[in-house]
Amino acid sequence: MIEVLVVDDDARVARVNAAYVEKVPGFHVAGEAHTAAEALRRLETLPRIDLVLMDHYLPDGTGLEVVREMRRRGRRTDVIMVTAARDVSTVQEAMRHGALQYLVKPFAFAGLRARLEAYADLRRTLDGGGEAEQADVDRIFGALSAPVRPGLPRGHSPTTADLVRRALMNAGGPLSAQEVAERTGLSRQTAQRYLKLLERTGRARLTLKYGDAGRPEHRYVWATRV
């Protein structure tokens, strides 16, 4: 599990954000903090924090001051800024201090979920270790960018397309529509429709599995894995 510290000056907002985090598979809220001092104290006392969702406007300082102090203490904990601060200077300063993403309030659950899922993908990529080719470097640096969904046909949901895409990317081999449906909670028909879309756009490759009798089973594999 990825352990998360949620920092927000408003306790109600912190609870909402924590509930959002808990809805994303693979993430767990280790604690909440409502001041800069409490955030730093939590970072020292909690057993493990992998990611901080950091508000900027805190009653006894700013989120960026907390991040600067974290770095001064040698803490390399990852940070995603979640704040109403929109001025470019604050965004630039967040980048300079290593914030991986910057999510402007107010936001919908889908916005936070997309960034958390991208962060999980980034961790999986980095955990692989070894040497990186240019394509790997590009994927690492682009992992937290907003997903580009060009040319989705009318009636197709970007969220559903991402679900199917991630199922294929995280699979150890080809998947059938039924297997994708089971992994994503979609119906088989919906999974099949999005798999065909990914195949048409070149992001997935169709393979055939022949059984003892009847028609071959259509199976799909993420194109960059083959």
Side-chain angles (χ1 to χ4, degrees):
M1 299 291 284
I2 296 172
E3 299 291 338
V4 181
L5 174 65
V6 176
V7 181
D8 198 289
D9 70 313
D10 189 322
R12 293 169 299 177
V13 173
R15 285 195 297 271
V16 170
N17 290 349
Y20 280 171
V21 171
E22 292 280 3
K23 290 172 66 176
V24 181
F27 287 83
H28 173 254
V29 175
E32 298 177 18
H34 311 300
T35 68
E38 186 180 9
L40 290 169
R41 187 166 60 250
R42 289 280 194 171
L43 284 164
E44 294 293 337
T45 58
L46 289 171
R48 189 182 102 231
I49 297 295
D50 302 305
L51 175 67
V52 181
L53 297 188
M54 181 70 72
D55 189 14
H56 184 59
Y57 298 122
L58 301 171
D60 56 342
T62 68
L64 287 182
E65 288 171 348
V66 175
V67 176
R68 282 196 291 268
E69 180 61 19
M70 286 168 54
R71 303 305 183 228
R72 189 190 69 79
R73 296 181 183 185
R75 289 200 167 272
R76 299 169 61 188
T77 309
D78 294 324
V79 175
I80 294 179
M81 298 297 295
V82 180
T83 176
R86 299 167 179 263
D87 56 290
V88 173
S89 61
T90 300
V91 176
Q92 186 178 48
E93 193 71 8
M95 292 173 59
R96 287 174 174 168
H97 285 86
L100 295 177
Q101 253 291 6
Y102 198 106
L103 184 60
V104 178
K105 296 178 181 177
F107 57 86
F109 168 59
L112 179 60
R113 179 180 62 193
R115 284 158 178 80
L116 292 179
E117 289 175 343
Y119 174 73
D121 282 347
L122 174 63
R123 284 178 63 97
R124 281 191 290 270
T125 299
L126 295 177
D127 287 346
E131 295 185 349
E133 301 294 340
Q134 184 62 53
D136 300 317
V137 174
D138 292 342
R139 186 168 66 253
I140 290 168
F141 275 84
L144 289 173
S145 300
V148 178
R149 308 178 183 100
L152 270 184
R154 195 169 188 174
H156 285 72
S157 161
T159 301
T160 304
D162 278 348
L163 277 175
V164 175
R165 175 179 64 85
R166 291 180 189 280
L168 289 183
M169 289 180 68
N170 296 331
L175 297 177
S176 67
Q178 182 60 42
E179 289 169 331
V180 171
E182 292 169 356
R183 294 182 182 213
T184 59
L186 301 171
S187 70
R188 184 188 179 283
Q189 291 79 7
T190 299
Q192 182 70 60
R193 186 157 60 97
Y194 281 83
L195 287 167
K196 288 181 177 179
L197 172 64
L198 291 174
E199 182 202 358
R200 287 198 304 270
T201 56
R203 304 180 76 188
R205 194 184 74 174
L206 172 65
T207 64
L208 299 177
K209 180 181 179 181
Y210 291 90
D212 295 334
R215 297 170 58 186
E217 181 183 41
H218 287 200
R219 299 174 70 81
Y220 297 83
V221 65
W222 188 246
T224 59
R225 297 181 70 98
V226 296

